[in-house]
Amino acid sequence: MALPSDLLRAVPSRSMPAQAMSDLVPVEFTTSGGVLVLLGLAALYATVGRWIYVDARERGSEWAWQWGFGTPLTVFLGIDVFLLVIVIYLLLRASADRPIASSTDRSD
């Protein structure tokens, strides 16, 4: 079964030109604004990483350093992924705090 000619024209035949790649970078890191973005990301990385590491260590997690190091790295995948990982950590942390009710604990 052959593809319609319209679909064949929509598929790029070669890689993206270098000029188009420069449009994908929203902030140039050679300007003062770019430096501020890098400093902000570094502060965010250090603050969130340290907070999660200390919290996980105090709760006795064997994965404390992985949570502390890996969670801030997700900011490079996007702020939505970063926030999602923090919510996942908080949910897992909350579920670890709750005692597991067994059938013998109930007073029916």
Side-chain angles (χ1 to χ4, degrees), residues 56-86:
R57 189 184 63 199
E58 285 176 355
R59 294 174 182 277
S61 173
E62 297 176 0
W63 297 89
W65 76 268
Q66 288 93 338
W67 276 110
F69 183 75
T71 300
L73 285 179
T74 61
V75 78
F76 296 110
L77 299 175
I79 194 71
D80 51 347
V81 176
F82 176 67
L83 293 174
L84 179 66
V85 170
I86 290 176

Side-chain angles (χ1 to χ4, degrees), residues 22-90:
S22 65
D23 295 338
L24 298 176
V25 179
V27 177
E28 293 184 24
F29 292 117
T30 57
T31 64
S32 61
V35 171
L36 289 176
V37 168
L38 285 176
L39 289 174
L41 287 175
L44 180 71
Y45 184 87
T47 304
V48 171
R50 176 126 173 96
W51 168 67
I52 290 180
Y53 170 73
V54 168
D55 184 65
R57 189 184 63 199
E58 285 176 355
R59 294 174 182 277
S61 173
E62 297 176 0
W63 297 89
W65 76 268
Q66 288 93 338
W67 276 110
F69 183 75
T71 300
L73 285 179
T74 61
V75 78
F76 296 110
L77 299 175
I79 194 71
D80 51 347
V81 176
F82 176 67
L83 293 174
L84 179 66
V85 170
I86 290 176
V87 167
I88 289 170
Y89 171 75
L90 292 173

Side-chain angles (χ1 to χ4, degrees), residues 9-27:
R9 275 186 255 134
V11 177
S13 60
R14 55 188 149 82
S15 64
M16 188 180 292
Q19 293 170 342
M21 292 296 283
S22 65
D23 295 338
L24 298 176
V25 179
V27 177

